[in-house]
Amino acid sequence: MNRIDTTTIAAIATPPGRGGVGIVRVSGPLALTIAKTITGVDPEPRYAHFTKFFDEQEGIIDEGLLIFFPNPHSFTGEDVLELQGHGGPVVMGLLLKRVLQCGAIHAKPGEFSERAFLNDKVDLAQAEAIADLINATTEIAAKASMQSLQGKFSERLQKLYHRMVELRVHVEAAIDFPDEDVDFLGDGVIEEKLKKIIIDCDVLQQQTKQGAILQQGMSVVIAGKPNAGKSSLLNQLAAKEAAIVTDIAGTTRDVLREYIQLDGMPLHIIDTAGLRETNDAVEKKGVERALCEIKKADKIILLVENLEDITLDGATPENTIVVQNKIDLTGERPGVTTHKNYTLVKLSAKTGDGLALLKQTLKQSVGFSAPSEDGFIARARHVDAIARSMQALQIGLKQLQQFNAGECLAEELRLAHNNLGEILGTMSADDLLGEIFSSFCIGK
Amino acid sequence: MSNAGFDIIVIGGGHAGTEAALAAARMGAKTLLLTHNIDTIGQMSCNPAIGGIGKSHLVKEIDALGGVMAKAADRAGIQFRILNVSKGPAVRATRAQADRQLYRYAIQQVVHKQQNLTVFQQSVEDIIVEQGKAKGVITQTGIKFYADALVLTVGTFLGGVVHIGLENHQGGRAGCPPSNGLAKRLRAMPFNVGRLKTGTPPRLDKRSIDLDSLQKQYGDTPLPVMSFTGSVDEHPEQVCCYITHTNKKTHEIVRESLDQSPLFSGDISGRGPRYCPSIEDKIHRFADKDSHQIFVEPEGLNSIELYPNGISTSLPYEKQIAYIQTIKGFENAHITRPGYAIEYDFFDPRDLKQNLETKFVENLFFAGQINGTTGYEEAAAQGLYAAINAVQKIQNKAEFVLSRDQAYIGVLVDDLITQGAPEPYRMFTSRAEYRLLLREDNADLRLTALGRNLGLVDERRWKTLKDKKEVVEQEFKRLRSTWVQAGSEQALAIEKNMGAKITHEYNLADLLARPEFNYQDLIETVGLQAVSNKQAAQQVQIKIKYAGYIERQLDEVAKHKRHEQTKIPQDIDYAQIKSLSSEVVERLQQQKPNTIGQASRIPGITPAAISILLVHLKKHTVAA
């Protein structure tokens, strides 16, 4: 007999890499419901349906194949759903996110194999191998998680986490010690703290630009005077990359966009009309648009021929990489230096000399330190956990304000805390009590 | 009385022992209760109260399983309050200030009336163990008693050392001898022994206190009741408690005397409860607070003693007098018994199985303070649970396990056997992750049917439950099928009385889900008659108000169910599982969890380790 799990798990099943085909695999009782929800297709068993994958607003995430394997004749022995789309972290990430929205949870490392084994789908002799796989992938996932928890993101997250613990300490103290002088639910202290945390959490969501960049891709504007070599640079950056999507809606003939991937990091590259004073009405419009794109961009690549030309409205050392092109003509060596606080990359868009340096600089500038799919998934998990925490916090606030239900707020906080705990480590009920006793003088 | 032929022997007549003995006897087992003093059966040896946050949940569960604690509280309670009234029903808790004498009398009355139960006064010196199985006991005077299983509840300060100032002496609870012989014998067994400490405040002579100057704290009206089958008529005369506060002068004296406190001199090594700090601790650790609350509790209707809750101490007697007399209302206080700290032994509850049977000696069960818990309620809950399991065991019946989503008793036992007791364990609602499911009000609905199957629940209690269930069901049906149309007379009445807009057709259940409505008002506003069964009416309202959360928590329970039900064979050799880290192996080897669920709650056991364990178990069972 099959031991069908009550939880439905999902993960990107294809190995890290760009381009080609990617698979999101789902296993568990919700598989069929998820298939119907995302595609509208009521799938025939083991039949490849060509279909569109929709997000919750019915926007199209991707299109590809859907295959449903009802239990017990599947990889894990449970109901299994495979969604095959265009590979690459962005699309796969969005697809996975959608599946999780529908009630699946991220698979633990090795969990598909574990379920397969537990359902007699894998040879007994492979038990050790499965155990090793679980160990190895757990380690990789832990490393990836560590990597994606670097820098400012981590700092803010830690801060949020600690404030959440502090809030729980106040709420639980008010519940478990009503005779003491700690009725924070009644005196408004908790509501204030909760509101502050919601703002923090919101700011964190907004500010995890890295997360957003990895989700949607970073937009990079290539700017410069006419004939500075913008198009050549765009072609050089795009030429060697596999995935190409052109003609995204909204492109105009004077602002050209390319979607490329840099070692798995998605980039929207916007080639702008040359920036110069002009009286031509059409060209003027083009220049206006270019300036508008520059304002919205995550990063500007400013092409110059000589260093006196670093003059562009909105360009700062933080958002701009200056590229001195045409070293094939001047005979200079490619390299990365700084000039007036700007990062300066010397290269030749024509020969490709120094191009690798630019790519690396671009990646570093957004802290893209985990180029593997593992890193991407780790970050996606974190963004997901924060979103779920935020949701619980907001319901909690409503429970407090409308129903005055401290115990329901406590329950929402427990969930929010558990969600962040998936990233930063969980805390036992006893640890929490310990925090209460060290924060307040309690006890008869 | 014959020395042989008992099914169960319960050793110890405290709160664990009495519930244990009564439960075993109710289940039909021939039971012997051995105590060193028959007169102290049911004695409340610390503060005179039953219930309170988390604890009352245990009391109601014991009651739902036919136990005696709630009934005794109803007969002895001289002030009843429901705590957390301003919060939701899941965290509301009943607390009864009890008259010590009345409480003891109520317990003893039940014990003496109980069929199948024999009481005998003798201290137990030794346990008879043959081939790893407990067979009986030997008393102080050498009498041997034999039984199929033993429930040991002698935790009241095993190997106790009492500290007052820098003086200390061996002793049990003030006035009681320590159970040294048995403690010594147990320590010779392979149990892991730990040391804990706790403290008490000095008791005061009521006649020397200026009660008029103290803030009064009255009980609730209407008067709460503890037992599901109890009634207000059982309550004795009601009195009030008092509140006063320490002040700067008090703190000065305590601070200057810290060097004479064994807590600070290093004389005490056992760990004390963090939730019950001594006045020395409070003043030392929270130096910025210049006042602490003291609850002044009467010890009984006829007692001249008061229990000043909140100022336990181990300072020398003369310092106790000095600081007590700085407190408002206590200026001329006479101390009747000095406060003291006591260190005592406990046995690491991680050496117990989930039925509270010891892992080293079969048919030997531990319950109560011996397991590192504190509090009458925690003790009683374990006594009941251990005795049920002892009877089940000797009758070759299935273990009686309560899970964490079923009862606070389940949380208590699971916490003890997976986490141990690094400090005296006390129940709090925050320990229960399914807090919204485990409420006082539904303890009977959760447990009484289980108790009935075990033979613990009498006809009267069973009928009370059946009536309640039926009324709840009927009332749900009525609420769901009674519709209020927009613009109707009823809708207008609701809008007028309750200030809510009725924009289209609703049934009463939907309306009751709104925060501004309560059952009684809504029913009356639409011109219907509320059900007369108060418990049932309350149940209807709570279930509707919590509906979303109840559903969500039940989902969570279902998700964990499989792990909770996956048993781990007790002969498993964790060292054979290559992929587990040595740290994980060591912890599992030491605690030998019964289920995957328990394993996952042992500190340091990672999700990956659980996966590997599952894979191994599968291999194990297929290969076997």
Side-chain angles (χ1 to χ4, degrees), chain B residues 1-11 30-35 118-130 133-151:
Chain B
M1 183 181 66
S2 157
N3 295 2
F6 287 107
D7 297 321
I8 304 279
I9 298 175
V10 176
I11 305 140
K30 218 178 146 212
T31 307
L32 172 66
L33 173 62
L34 283 174
T35 169
T118 308
V119 181
F120 192 68
Q121 177 169 312
Q122 272 284 289
S123 284
V124 170
E125 282 291 306
D126 201 357
I127 291 171
I128 305 167
V129 179
E130 284 169 18
K133 285 189 183 180
K135 294 284 183 188
V137 297
I138 305 173
T139 70
Q140 189 181 16
T141 53
I143 310 172
K144 290 180 182 170
F145 289 101
Y146 295 94
D148 295 329
L150 311 180
V151 181

Side-chain angles (χ1 to χ4, degrees), chain A residues 65-183:
Chain A
L65 298 179
L66 171 156
I67 312 175
F68 175 65
F69 304 89
N71 78 79
H73 303 295
S74 70
F75 173 55
T76 58
E78 304 173 329
D79 282 357
V80 167
L81 175 69
E82 286 193 1
L83 303 173
Q84 308 188 353
H86 295 94
V90 178
V91 171
M92 284 290 105
L94 289 175
L95 200 51
L96 178 62
K97 190 174 156 199
R98 178 71 181 125
V99 168
L100 298 181
Q101 243 172 22
C102 296
I105 54 171
H106 265 289
K108 283 182 299 176
E111 197 174 3
F112 284 99
S113 304
E114 178 190 330
R115 289 189 180 198
F117 178 79
L118 296 177
N119 283 326
D120 299 322
K121 290 286 164 181
V122 182
D123 197 318
L124 196 60
Q126 288 178 311
E128 289 304 328
I130 302 265
D132 288 342
L133 173 77
I134 291 168
N135 266 341
T137 45
T138 300
E139 207 170 296
I140 291 170
K143 268 190 196 149
S145 178
M146 280 302 294
Q147 274 175 359
S148 94
L149 274 183
Q150 306 280 333
K152 278 246 159 18
F153 176 72
S154 166
E155 246 170 65
R156 290 201 190 96
L157 193 58
Q158 294 278 2
K159 209 170 122 196
L160 179 67
Y161 183 81
H162 290 305
R163 294 179 76 157
M164 198 178 286
V165 170
E166 194 201 325
L167 181 62
R168 279 199 76 195
V169 164
H170 278 77
V171 174
E172 295 295 341
I175 289 175
D176 267 344
F177 303 94
D179 267 349
E180 307 282 342
D181 194 13
V182 292
D183 189 11

Side-chain angles (χ1 to χ4, degrees), chain A residues 3 5 114 118 120 131 135 172 174-176 179 407 410-412 414-415 430 434 437 442-444, chain B residues 81 84 87-88 274-277 282 285 293 309 429-431 435 546 549 552-553 562 579 611 618:
Chain A
R3 65 187 259 314
D5 246 276
E114 178 190 330
L118 296 177
D120 299 322
N135 266 341
E172 295 295 341
I175 289 175
D176 267 344
D179 267 349
E407 79 288 13
E411 171 67 8
E412 297 296 344
R414 182 176 75 88
L415 288 184
D430 207 57
F437 302 131
I442 273 169
K444 296 189 192 172
Chain B
R81 285 196 301 143
N84 272 341
K87 295 158 201 140
R274 292 168 298 178
Y275 44 83
C276 199
K282 287 184 180 182
R285 288 180 42 221
Q293 202 169 217
N309 210 339
T429 71
S430 52
R431 297 197 192 271
R435 177 162 63 192
Y546 273 149
Y549 282 97
R552 206 165 79 182
Q553 292 220 313
R562 198 176 42 77
S579 308
S611 291
K618 172 80 179 182

Side-chain angles (χ1 to χ4, degrees), chain B residues 229-338:
Chain B
T229 58
S231 100
V232 175
D233 304 337
E234 295 170 80
H235 295 346
E237 180 195 340
Q238 299 294 297
V239 299
C240 72
C241 297
Y242 305 88
I243 295 174
T244 185
H245 294 88
T246 62
N247 54 49
K248 282 183 179 157
K249 188 87 188 104
T250 321
H251 292 204
E252 226 167 81
I253 293 174
V254 171
R255 205 172 289 125
E256 281 165 8
S257 318
L258 284 181
D259 59 341
Q260 293 165 64
S261 166
L263 298 170
F264 290 83
S265 67
D267 285 4
I268 290 183
S269 58
R271 187 152 168 208
R274 292 168 298 178
Y275 44 83
C276 199
S278 63
I279 189 67
E280 294 97 296
D281 259 334
K282 287 184 180 182
I283 286 165
H284 177 69
R285 288 180 42 221
F286 296 92
D288 54 327
K289 274 196 94 168
D290 46 25
S291 175
H292 295 284
Q293 202 169 217
I294 304 170
F295 294 87
V296 185
E297 303 171 351
E299 298 243 331
L301 294 174
N302 299 312
S303 167
I304 55 132
E305 283 185 301
L306 291 174
Y307 189 98
N309 210 339
I311 46 171
S312 81
T313 183
S314 56
L315 289 174
Y317 172 63
E318 55 286 4
K319 296 295 175 189
Q320 294 186 21
I321 295 189
Y323 87 72
I324 284 286
Q325 292 190 341
T326 62
I327 294 166
K328 189 178 172 196
F330 294 178
E331 292 85 353
N332 300 307
H334 168 62
I335 292 181
T336 51
R337 312 175 202 207

Side-chain angles (χ1 to χ4, degrees), chain A residues 84-391:
Chain A
Q84 308 188 353
H86 295 94
V90 178
V91 171
M92 284 290 105
L94 289 175
L95 200 51
L96 178 62
K97 190 174 156 199
R98 178 71 181 125
V99 168
L100 298 181
Q101 243 172 22
C102 296
I105 54 171
H106 265 289
K108 283 182 299 176
E111 197 174 3
F112 284 99
S113 304
E114 178 190 330
R115 289 189 180 198
F117 178 79
L118 296 177
N119 283 326
D120 299 322
K121 290 286 164 181
V122 182
D123 197 318
L124 196 60
Q126 288 178 311
E128 289 304 328
I130 302 265
D132 288 342
L133 173 77
I134 291 168
N135 266 341
T137 45
T138 300
E139 207 170 296
I140 291 170
K143 268 190 196 149
S145 178
M146 280 302 294
Q147 274 175 359
S148 94
L149 274 183
Q150 306 280 333
K152 278 246 159 18
F153 176 72
S154 166
E155 246 170 65
R156 290 201 190 96
L157 193 58
Q158 294 278 2
K159 209 170 122 196
L160 179 67
Y161 183 81
H162 290 305
R163 294 179 76 157
M164 198 178 286
V165 170
E166 194 201 325
L167 181 62
R168 279 199 76 195
V169 164
H170 278 77
V171 174
E172 295 295 341
I175 289 175
D176 267 344
F177 303 94
D179 267 349
E180 307 282 342
D181 194 13
V182 292
D183 189 11
F184 309 109
L185 281 164
D187 67 9
V189 167
I190 283 171
E191 187 172 339
E192 276 317 298
K193 283 181 183 284
L194 178 59
K195 281 183 182 160
K196 276 197 190 119
I197 287 188
I198 288 179
I199 293 170
D200 274 4
C201 195
D202 195 37
V203 168
L204 184 65
Q205 268 189 318
Q206 300 297 327
Q207 289 187 348
T208 44
K209 245 208 152 157
Q210 282 189 46
I213 284 167
L214 289 176
Q215 293 264 352
Q216 292 130 27
M218 169 168 71
S219 66
V220 177
V221 166
I222 302 179
K225 290 187 171 166
N227 293 323
K230 298 188 295 292
S231 296
S232 322
L233 183 61
L234 175 62
N235 287 336
Q236 278 285 1
L237 282 172
K240 289 182 182 164
E241 298 298 330
I244 303 290
V245 180
T246 50
D247 263 313
I248 288 173
T251 36
T252 67
R253 65 185 168 108
D254 35 21
V255 178
L256 194 78
R257 291 164 193 253
E258 291 279 346
Y259 171 78
I260 67 165
Q261 292 191 22
L262 221 53
D263 297 342
M265 179 176 76
L267 288 182
H268 295 287
I269 298 211
I270 302 143
D271 183 15
T272 56
L275 299 170
R276 62 174 176 185
E277 298 289 326
T278 174
N279 288 323
D280 180 285
V282 176
E283 198 180 341
K284 208 168 183 173
K285 196 115 189 152
V287 173
E288 266 172 34
R289 288 214 172 116
L291 288 171
C292 181
E293 289 295 336
I294 287 165
K295 270 189 205 142
K296 289 193 297 187
D298 295 311
K299 218 48 167 182
I300 301 165
I301 297 177
L302 181 58
L303 277 173
V304 297
E305 267 175 74
N306 62 63
L307 297 176
E308 270 59 63
D309 289 346
I310 309 179
T311 48
L312 178 65
D313 280 354
T316 65
E318 284 73 43
N319 69 3
T320 305
I321 298 169
V322 178
V323 169
Q324 191 182 352
N325 194 11
K326 303 186 183 176
I327 56 171
D328 52 314
L329 299 181
T330 62
E332 282 179 85
R333 295 179 63 81
V336 184
T337 53
T338 50
H339 180 78
K340 291 184 182 164
N341 293 330
Y342 285 90
T343 306
L344 174 67
V345 180
K346 292 181 180 176
L347 55 72
S348 162
K350 196 173 161 193
T351 65
D353 262 0
L355 203 69
L357 293 172
L358 176 62
K359 285 182 184 175
Q360 205 183 343
T361 308
L362 266 176
K363 283 195 287 182
Q364 277 171 355
S365 68
V366 289
F368 191 80
S369 53
S372 70
E373 193 129 353
D374 296 318
F376 181 81
I377 290 171
R379 178 53 62 90
R381 261 181 217 261
H382 299 166
V383 172
D384 182 46
I386 294 167
R388 280 182 287 132
S389 289
M390 180 72 172
Q391 201 184 2

Side-chain angles (χ1 to χ4, degrees), chain B residues 7-208:
Chain B
D7 297 321
I8 304 279
I9 298 175
V10 176
I11 305 140
H15 302 275
T18 48
E19 289 292 357
L22 288 168
R26 280 203 306 279
M27 288 173 79
K30 218 178 146 212
T31 307
L32 172 66
L33 173 62
L34 283 174
T35 169
H36 72 278
N37 184 353
I38 287 182
D39 298 332
T40 60
I41 286 177
Q43 170 104 311
M44 308 180 90
S45 38
C46 194
N47 75 316
I50 296 287
I53 305 289
K55 288 169 171 280
S56 70
H57 293 77
L58 289 170
V59 177
K60 299 257 178 181
E61 290 177 359
I62 294 166
D63 187 55
L65 289 167
V68 69
M69 184 166 248
K71 297 208 86 56
D74 277 335
R75 285 176 206 159
I78 52 176
Q79 187 228 38
F80 285 84
R81 285 196 301 143
I82 294 184
L83 310 177
N84 272 341
V85 174
S86 67
K87 295 158 201 140
V91 294
R92 279 182 204 152
T94 315
R95 183 182 190 278
Q97 198 66 47
D99 176 305
R100 282 181 203 284
Q101 279 183 17
L102 290 176
Y103 188 86
R104 202 171 58 213
Y105 178 68
I107 295 278
Q108 289 182 6
Q109 246 191 339
V110 177
V111 167
H112 294 319
K113 274 191 204 154
Q114 180 64 50
Q115 285 187 348
N116 299 327
L117 178 58
T118 308
V119 181
F120 192 68
Q121 177 169 312
Q122 272 284 289
S123 284
V124 170
E125 282 291 306
D126 201 357
I127 291 171
I128 305 167
V129 179
E130 284 169 18
Q131 289 162 339
K133 285 189 183 180
K135 294 284 183 188
V137 297
I138 305 173
T139 70
Q140 189 181 16
T141 53
I143 310 172
K144 290 180 182 170
F145 289 101
Y146 295 94
D148 295 329
L150 311 180
V151 181
L152 198 58
T153 68
V154 293
T156 323
F157 305 134
L158 274 175
V161 173
V162 171
H163 297 259
I164 300 179
L166 300 180
E167 300 297 317
N168 62 66
H169 61 275
Q170 292 205 341
R173 181 87 57 187
C176 291
S179 355
N180 277 337
L182 190 56
K184 207 172 149 195
R185 170 72 176 127
L186 289 171
R187 235 173 293 170
M189 293 184 178
F191 301 116
N192 292 295
V193 186
R195 201 124 171 100
L196 293 171
K197 73 119 200 173
T198 189
T200 66
R203 314 289 168 89
L204 307 176
D205 186 333
K206 186 154 80 179
R207 297 164 300 187
S208 67

